[in-house]
Amino acid sequence: MSDQRDSQPVHPISGMRSRGQNLGKPNLTDPLHHPEAASPALRSKRAWLFLLLTLVLPGSVQLMTDHKVVGKRALAVTLTVWAFIILMLGLWLMRRTMVLSLFTNTWFLSAFALLLLALAAGWVFLFLDTLRAIRPGLLAGKHRTLVTLCLIAAIFVTGGGLGYGAYITWVGRGALGSIFADGALNENEGRYNILLMGGDAGEDRVGRRPDSMTVVSIDASTGQAITISVPRNLQNAIFEQGSPLWSVYPEGFNCGDECILNALYPDVTANYPDLYPEAEDPGAEATMDAVSGVLGITVENYLLIDMSGFEQLVDALGGITIDVGGYVPIGGGTNELTGEPNPIDGYIEPGVQKLDGFHALWYARSREGASDYDRQARQRCVQAAMLKQLDPANVLTKFADITAAGEQVVETNIPQSGLSQLGDVALKSKDYDLIQFAAGPPYFSEDFPTYPDFDQLHAAVEKMISESAQGIAPTATTAQGGYSTSEIADTDTSTISDAVTVEPVSFRAQLASELSPNGTCSVP
């Protein structure tokens, strides 16, 4: 007769036989559900495993323990999120524009922000429920503290990270809606032509004037980009065919020395806004008409960086650091309203300086004792310093302030729906060297802006755009921070297009004295 104990089941972990009267009751020695019956080492391993599973596969702990319904739903959400991420990665490789169009659409961004908030709340809940399942009171002293601290850190990283991502998404959605326009982005002969302007509306000036004007022309297929600088002091500007400005200036903007190109903006804004009844910024529309006529290409979109909000933007970045070459006055120049000299209220001193918004603004716009080349060189240093400050960590931590400042600084008629197209070609453009050109020195003689030959300029622009497809750039080049005398001296003028004239001897003399200490600078 066999012993009755032989028929009793043996627990796979403990090795103990269960008595017959306990066969239908819960197995209290199962460490997964009953850690109180496990050894201290096994409880610690169980706690760290639960914590890791909730971090990488949310819902799996609940599915294994006593919250199976919650676990199934949470795991379904987790797998859906992973599927969405994989789908977006696949689309990015095959149809990048579609992904960019989603993340530049305000409705999608609104829904995405709410989704991130929901995921953040759900993940925090799962971590707290995991803490309940771990039962930290059963853990040894140091493990109890470490597990609890790590779980709090995980909540901060996951729930806090998703919550902050929702916040950034929501703020970005608002910025897109307030800065960019409605409509569609148009190509012109297979290119996107966008006018970039730097506008200055100081208290001593009559209206806002674009002191720098550059057309960025991008091949819509390849992303090959060209920049064409247009001098602010260019005279006798003509307009694009069909422009309403011809009715006011039938011979072009040639009313004398005061009618340089950047004076057109305040002139139309103050006197002829009715010429552009549907435009939010008639001055910008007029400037595009003039730049289109001057270069012989159609420019339909503009982006204006207004110095009125520049100070706030620099402060939002936490200031910028520049190695200043010489004393730069704060103030000075002539007050356009009164005709009287402006007082000098101080100087930005030479050396490495951390400039706040106020001083950075004056460093960029100060004219006293400086040539246009000095001021332009300083502006390039300011731009380079700002780009250096726009590192991912700075943007993430100061996103709201930067965005709020950007809404004041940036004005554009670029449609929001066109951002995906521009984003796509911008990524493509990284495969090419940027080709630079200018409607003035060193590609033309220094008196060209005063006495421009527009047929010559049109031919040069057409040739330059055509050759850019083969990566051919105009021979005359410039160096960062100013013109390079060695590059001009070494230029073989026989290789320059007949449409582009450079006078190496006379121009070389100008370059040698071009930048004074006022204009020399660098970014440490």
Side-chain angles (χ1 to χ4, degrees):
M1 183 174 179
S2 62
D3 193 331
Q4 185 179 3
R5 291 177 298 176
D6 295 339
S7 63
Q8 294 175 349
V10 178
H11 194 279
I13 295 180
S14 65
M16 298 177 61
R17 298 183 183 274
S18 301
R19 297 187 179 274
Q21 61 267 30
N22 294 327
L23 287 176
K25 295 182 179 181
N27 188 348
L28 299 181
T29 59
D30 178 3
L32 185 65
H33 298 89
H34 301 284
E36 68 275 9
S39 66
L42 193 56
R43 293 173 194 170
S44 298
K45 291 179 181 179
R46 173 182 178 275
W48 289 113
L49 176 63
F50 278 14
L51 186 59
L52 180 62
L53 286 174
T54 303
L55 183 64
V56 299
L57 199 61
S60 56
V61 170
Q62 286 69 32
L63 190 62
M64 291 189 302
T65 55
D66 53 352
H67 280 183
K68 297 187 183 300
V69 174
V70 173
K72 288 179 181 179
R73 293 175 179 174
L75 201 55
V77 171
T78 299
L79 295 177
T80 301
V81 169
W82 278 112
F84 175 78
I85 294 173
I86 293 171
L87 175 62
M88 289 297 103
L89 290 175
L91 287 175
W92 181 262
L93 295 174
M94 295 182 291
R95 299 193 62 181
R96 187 167 53 194
T97 306
M98 180 181 293
V99 178
L100 291 172
S101 65
L102 283 176
F103 285 92
T104 53
N105 180 281
T106 52
W107 289 104
F108 177 83
L109 290 177
S110 298
F112 190 68
L114 294 175
L115 175 63
L116 289 177
L117 278 178
L119 291 174
W123 216 342
V124 170
F125 169 79
L126 291 175
F127 269 115
L128 293 176
D129 189 67
T130 297
L131 183 63
R132 177 200 59 81
I134 288 173
R135 297 173 64 180
L138 297 176
L139 300 176
K142 68 175 184 179
H143 288 287
R144 181 189 311 163
T145 303
L146 286 174
V147 167
T148 303
L149 290 176
C150 287
L151 186 136
I152 293 173
I155 288 177
F156 179 79
V157 171
T158 56
L162 286 174
Y164 190 68
Y167 168 71
I168 288 179
T169 301
W170 190 264
V171 172
R173 176 206 61 84
L176 287 176
S178 62
I179 294 176
F180 295 93
D182 298 324
L185 185 68
N186 297 322
E187 296 180 24
N188 290 285
E189 298 182 357
R191 306 189 71 84
Y192 300 121
N193 299 318
I194 302 170
L195 174 62
L196 305 183
M197 295 181 283
D200 194 350
E203 294 179 357
D204 60 336
R205 309 194 73 184
V206 180
R208 179 167 66 182
R209 292 192 178 197
D211 279 353
S212 63
M213 288 168 279
T214 302
V215 172
V216 179
S217 181
I218 311 170
D219 189 298
S221 298
T222 66
Q224 170 70 64
I226 299 165
T227 64
I228 309 172
S229 298
V230 184
R232 69 180 185 89
N233 61 339
L234 187 137
Q235 298 188 30
N236 306 314
I238 59 175
F239 314 114
E240 185 175 33
Q241 185 177 2
S243 169
L245 289 170
W246 286 113
S247 63
V248 180
Y249 299 105
E251 297 182 0
F253 196 48
N254 65 347
C255 53
D257 291 342
E258 295 183 358
C259 285
I260 59 178
L261 182 56
N262 79 330
L264 182 64
Y265 187 106
D267 179 55
V268 171
T269 299
N271 303 315
Y272 307 108
D274 54 309
L275 293 178
Y276 300 91
E278 298 181 0
E280 294 187 8
D281 190 338
E285 295 287 340
T287 305
M288 284 195 296
D289 278 1
V291 170
S292 297
V294 165
L295 299 180
I297 59 177
T298 299
V299 180
E300 291 190 353
N301 296 108
Y302 73 90
L303 191 148
L304 190 150
I305 309 297
D306 195 334
M307 294 302 232
S308 63
F310 177 82
E311 183 175 336
Q312 181 182 349
L313 179 59
V314 173
D315 285 335
L317 289 171
I320 56 176
T321 301
I322 292 177
D323 191 350
V324 178
Y327 286 92
V328 176
I330 299 174
T334 302
N335 191 309
E336 293 184 0
L337 300 175
T338 65
E340 299 293 325
N342 293 315
I344 295 177
D345 300 319
Y347 293 88
I348 298 170
E349 298 184 356
V352 177
Q353 303 286 353
K354 182 68 176 289
L355 304 178
D356 60 12
F358 173 81
H359 291 90
L361 176 59
W362 270 110
Y363 189 74
R365 73 187 294 264
S366 178
R367 297 173 180 273
E368 182 71 22
S371 67
D372 272 354
Y373 295 115
D374 288 327
R375 188 170 56 87
Q376 290 167 11
R378 282 189 268 112
Q379 289 176 352
R380 285 194 291 272
C381 281
V382 168
Q383 292 166 358
M386 292 181 69
L387 288 175
K388 187 174 181 179
Q389 288 289 97
L390 284 169
D391 59 88
N394 206 13
V395 171
L396 285 175
T397 55
K398 301 173 181 177
F399 186 80
D401 291 338
I402 293 171
T403 301
E407 291 181 24
Q408 296 185 38
V409 172
V410 178
E411 174 191 315
T412 184
N413 69 341
I414 295 174
Q416 184 179 335
S417 62
L419 293 178
S420 59
Q421 297 162 261
L422 290 179
D424 187 47
V425 297
L427 291 172
K428 293 178 181 177
S429 69
K430 293 182 178 181
D431 297 331
Y432 302 90
D433 292 330
L434 179 67
I435 294 178
Q436 297 177 315
F437 189 61
Y443 303 93
F444 295 88
S445 60
E446 64 179 291
D447 62 349
F448 186 88
T450 306
Y451 306 103
D453 183 331
F454 294 115
D455 289 336
Q456 183 185 27
L457 179 56
H458 291 176
V461 170
E462 182 179 359
K463 179 178 178 63
M464 187 260 305
I465 290 177
S466 175
E467 292 181 341
S468 70
Q470 287 78 46
I472 301 174
T475 303
T477 59
T478 61
Q480 184 178 3
Y483 296 118
S484 166
T485 57
S486 61
E487 287 176 341
I488 299 298
D490 294 337
T491 296
D492 180 3
T493 55
S494 65
T495 64
I496 301 176
S497 164
D498 292 339
V500 181
T501 61
V502 177
E503 300 177 0
V505 178
S506 61
F507 194 55
R508 191 180 301 116
Q510 175 206 351
L511 293 173
S513 59
E514 174 189 309
L515 290 180
S516 71
N518 177 287
T520 57
C521 57
S522 62
V523 179

